[in-house]
Amino acid sequence: MPKAPAAEQLKLLGLQALDAKLRALDVRRTALDTDPRLAPAAAELKAASLAARAADDAVAAADGELVASEAKVAEVSARIAKDEQRLYAGGLSKDLEALQKDIAGLTARKGDLEDAELEILERLDGLREAQASAGQRLAAAQAASDALRAELDAQIAEVAGERAAVAAERADYASAVDPGLVAVYEKTLAKRGVGAARLFHGTSEGSGMALSPGDLAAIRAAAEDEVVFCPDSGCILVRSAEWS
């Protein structure tokens, strides 16, 4: 068994307390990184973004239809104006009759195109309302996501600062403990998750279980400077006459 003065072994409880603080801070940091509000907020932001993009695309497509419709109306209007100019210039009655029929057909076509243009304008009004609503949803989702991220980042920064302070305190504390004992402790901590605990009235505080009479007898028979281990948790058991 490794050996270290009883007073040095007792210091391991202080080291373990600091490591427990570090572990608790790491657990808290993990909880912040995996906050259950993050996934729904991200999902809503993505859905709102897709909806806003779809609304923008729908308005853009309708705008394109409107431009094309206006161009067709302008083209037909230009042909009517040209035919009317020829009609007013006079000519053979047969030609004038053909021009009148052409003008009548173009006028009817223009009316159809203007009706279609009006339908596009009405549809655009609805699409723009939907676009505005989608934009508001996106803005709200972005604001909520940003607020949540700011809240969590502030808490993460707080945890990081606290952890740095505890880590510095631990380094100072460990430097005042027997290096060989610290090495045994570190190895035990890495392997077992708990480096050291009290043996208090026959119960290991590392496992929370009462030791068997045989294990207790073996530990009590060990010299004070011998490092003993919990048979259940594997951590170093720190003994004291007043805890027996």
Side-chain angles (χ1 to χ4, degrees), residues 35-125:
D35 189 288
R37 295 173 294 171
L38 284 170
E44 170 58 15
L45 182 57
K46 181 178 180 180
S49 179
L50 291 174
R53 187 181 306 169
D56 289 343
D57 290 344
V59 169
D63 276 334
E65 289 181 50
L66 181 61
V67 170
S69 180
E70 289 172 340
K72 289 178 181 178
V73 170
E75 180 183 354
V76 172
S77 296
R79 288 179 59 187
I80 292 173
K82 183 178 179 181
D83 284 352
E84 286 178 342
Q85 185 178 13
R86 290 171 59 192
L87 180 64
Y88 297 148
L92 297 176
S93 60
K94 183 178 180 181
D95 293 338
L96 296 177
E97 184 179 349
L99 281 172
Q100 288 175 336
K101 289 182 179 180
D102 191 33
I103 290 172
L106 288 172
T107 300
R109 172 61 175 161
K110 180 182 177 183
D112 291 341
L113 289 173
E114 288 174 339
D115 288 343
E117 185 176 328
L118 181 61
E119 185 276 330
I120 294 172
L121 285 169
E122 291 174 348
R123 182 154 46 90
L124 257 176
D125 287 340

Side-chain angles (χ1 to χ4, degrees), residues 10-226:
L10 191 60
K11 293 178 181 178
L12 293 181
L13 296 179
L15 192 59
Q16 177 62 57
L18 291 169
D19 281 328
K21 284 185 180 180
L22 291 174
R23 183 181 181 86
L25 289 168
D26 289 340
V27 169
R28 185 180 170 195
R29 170 60 190 266
T30 299
L32 290 170
D33 287 336
T34 57
D35 189 288
R37 295 173 294 171
L38 284 170
E44 170 58 15
L45 182 57
K46 181 178 180 180
S49 179
L50 291 174
R53 187 181 306 169
D56 289 343
D57 290 344
V59 169
D63 276 334
E65 289 181 50
L66 181 61
V67 170
S69 180
E70 289 172 340
K72 289 178 181 178
V73 170
E75 180 183 354
V76 172
S77 296
R79 288 179 59 187
I80 292 173
K82 183 178 179 181
D83 284 352
E84 286 178 342
Q85 185 178 13
R86 290 171 59 192
L87 180 64
Y88 297 148
L92 297 176
S93 60
K94 183 178 180 181
D95 293 338
L96 296 177
E97 184 179 349
L99 281 172
Q100 288 175 336
K101 289 182 179 180
D102 191 33
I103 290 172
L106 288 172
T107 300
R109 172 61 175 161
K110 180 182 177 183
D112 291 341
L113 289 173
E114 288 174 339
D115 288 343
E117 185 176 328
L118 181 61
E119 185 276 330
I120 294 172
L121 285 169
E122 291 174 348
R123 182 154 46 90
L124 257 176
D125 287 340
L127 291 173
R128 285 178 176 139
E129 287 180 5
Q131 182 186 40
S133 178
Q136 291 171 356
R137 178 188 174 189
L138 177 57
Q142 187 66 64
S145 177
D146 291 345
L148 176 58
R149 187 69 266 167
E151 174 192 334
L152 294 176
D153 285 346
Q155 293 182 47
I156 287 171
E158 181 182 345
V159 170
E162 188 175 348
R163 195 188 193 287
V166 174
E169 182 182 356
R170 185 198 188 277
D172 289 341
Y173 188 96
S175 67
V177 183
D178 177 83
L181 182 59
V182 171
V184 175
Y185 168 86
E186 297 280 12
K187 184 176 180 180
T188 305
L189 178 67
K191 186 176 182 180
R192 305 292 183 178
V194 177
R198 290 195 308 174
L199 176 59
F200 190 74
H201 296 310
T203 296
S204 166
E205 293 187 345
S207 65
M209 299 176 63
L211 272 61
S212 68
D215 288 333
L216 276 175
I219 290 173
R220 285 169 178 160
E224 283 189 358
D225 64 348
E226 287 186 9

Side-chain angles (χ1 to χ4, degrees), residues 204 211 215 219 229-235 237:
S204 166
L211 272 61
D215 288 333
I219 290 173
F229 298 87
C230 172
D232 296 309
S233 68
C235 72
L237 282 179

